[in-house]
Amino acid sequence: KAGVTQTPRYLIKTRGQQVTLSCSPISGHRSVSWYQQTPGQGLQFLFEYFSETQRNKGNFPGRFSGRQFSNSRSEMNVSTLELGDSALYLCASSVRAGTDTQYFGPGTRLTVL
Amino acid sequence: DQQVKQNSPSLSVQEGRISILNCDYTNSMFDYFLWYKKYPAEGPTFLISISSIKDKNEDGRFTVFLNKSAKHLSLHIVPSQPGDSAVYFCAASGVFSSGSARQLTFGSGTQLTVLP
């Protein structure tokens, strides 16, 4: 089975721009979660989608949004980028919502200049 | 407020010796705990987990211990190998109110270096 894929792997943007990141889960997995990883902060939960519905959301501003499509692929959007948004964005999939064992993609490294 | 804490950002161990990685949590509603391992340029991979009804779970060279009264868990790697060098994340999950969804809360990670 192919693993979780994320595109693009690297991205450079400037302040004020917006960005869209994409995640394709493992085949058969219907839940997709997004995390932000910054040095010293570990993985901060952004949101989880299951069957095209957001079922859980972390403590991030409204500039961070996401969606899930009928084929379980998910996108994450960040508008009005700030320098502090520079991070590794990780997507994880699982068979069901609320499943603790999640399978992570390699991440998208976003740099905001 | 970090509910899951890994107070040691780094740990160095000699090959063949035991590696002990520690994790503390503050929320008593957590009932499931996991360890993930992360190599550079890769996403975290699941390593081992433990339910709050147990105090020990073993899988090959990896053993996780849970001390609920102390709200502390640890990961033991015996014997340590150079290929174990990675960042290790502790994670916890629970249901905090009726109808709420489970989610994973991660610690900040510990960089383990196993020296040959």
Side-chain angles (χ1 to χ4, degrees), chain A residues 24-94:
Chain A
S24 293
I26 292 171
S27 177
H29 286 196
R30 294 172 60 196
S31 175
V32 173
S33 298
W34 288 89
Y35 296 86
Q36 180 195 66
Q37 184 190 1
T38 53
Q41 291 296 314
L43 279 70
Q44 303 291 315
F45 173 75
L46 281 154
F47 26 65
E48 180 184 16
Y49 286 88
F50 179 76
S51 293
E52 302 177 63
T53 301
Q54 186 183 89
R55 66 183 299 275
N56 214 346
K57 190 177 190 307
N59 190 24
F60 277 81
R63 300 185 297 107
F64 291 82
S65 63
R67 59 177 175 167
Q68 187 180 32
F69 302 95
S70 58
N71 62 358
S72 295
R73 190 177 71 84
S74 177
E75 286 183 348
M76 186 193 113
N77 184 276
V78 188
S79 62
T80 320
L81 283 166
E82 300 177 359
L83 295 178
D85 296 334
S86 294
L88 180 67
Y89 290 89
L90 291 158
C91 160
S93 76
S94 56

Side-chain angles (χ1 to χ4, degrees), chain B residues 31-83:
Chain B
D31 60 6
Y32 197 74
F33 304 88
L34 307 90
W35 285 93
Y36 280 82
K37 177 172 71 174
K38 186 180 185 300
Y39 293 117
E42 295 182 13
T45 55
F46 169 74
L47 194 56
I48 192 169
S49 63
I50 188 168
S51 164
S52 60
I53 62 173
K54 294 186 174 182
D55 54 18
K56 176 183 174 181
N57 188 27
E58 193 172 350
D59 183 2
R61 296 186 297 114
F62 302 91
T63 303
V64 56
F65 294 92
L66 175 63
N67 183 333
K68 281 182 292 184
S69 60
K71 294 190 177 68
H72 177 84
L73 66 154
S74 61
L75 174 67
H76 292 210
I77 306 174
V78 183
S80 300
Q81 299 173 354

Side-chain angles (χ1 to χ4, degrees), chain B:
Chain B
D1 176 33
Q2 278 194 306
Q3 298 188 69
V4 178
K5 297 180 184 178
Q6 294 177 257
N7 292 318
S8 298
S10 63
L11 173 69
S12 290
V13 170
Q14 209 68 36
E15 181 179 4
R17 298 287 186 101
I18 184 172
S19 294
I20 300 177
L21 297 98
N22 294 304
C23 178
D24 297 295
Y25 61 96
T26 57
N27 196 324
S28 58
M29 297 300 289
F30 287 135
D31 60 6
Y32 197 74
F33 304 88
L34 307 90
W35 285 93
Y36 280 82
K37 177 172 71 174
K38 186 180 185 300
Y39 293 117
E42 295 182 13
T45 55
F46 169 74
L47 194 56
I48 192 169
S49 63
I50 188 168
S51 164
S52 60
I53 62 173
K54 294 186 174 182
D55 54 18
K56 176 183 174 181
N57 188 27
E58 193 172 350
D59 183 2
R61 296 186 297 114
F62 302 91
T63 303
V64 56
F65 294 92
L66 175 63
N67 183 333
K68 281 182 292 184
S69 60
K71 294 190 177 68
H72 177 84
L73 66 154
S74 61
L75 174 67
H76 292 210
I77 306 174
V78 183
S80 300
Q81 299 173 354
D84 296 329
S85 297
V87 177
Y88 288 79
F89 290 99
C90 164
S93 82
V95 179
F96 302 115
S97 62
S98 176
S100 70
R102 298 181 72 91
Q103 70 180 63
L104 285 180
T105 302
F106 283 84
S108 55
T110 296
Q111 170 70 57
L112 172 66
T113 302
V114 180
L115 305 168

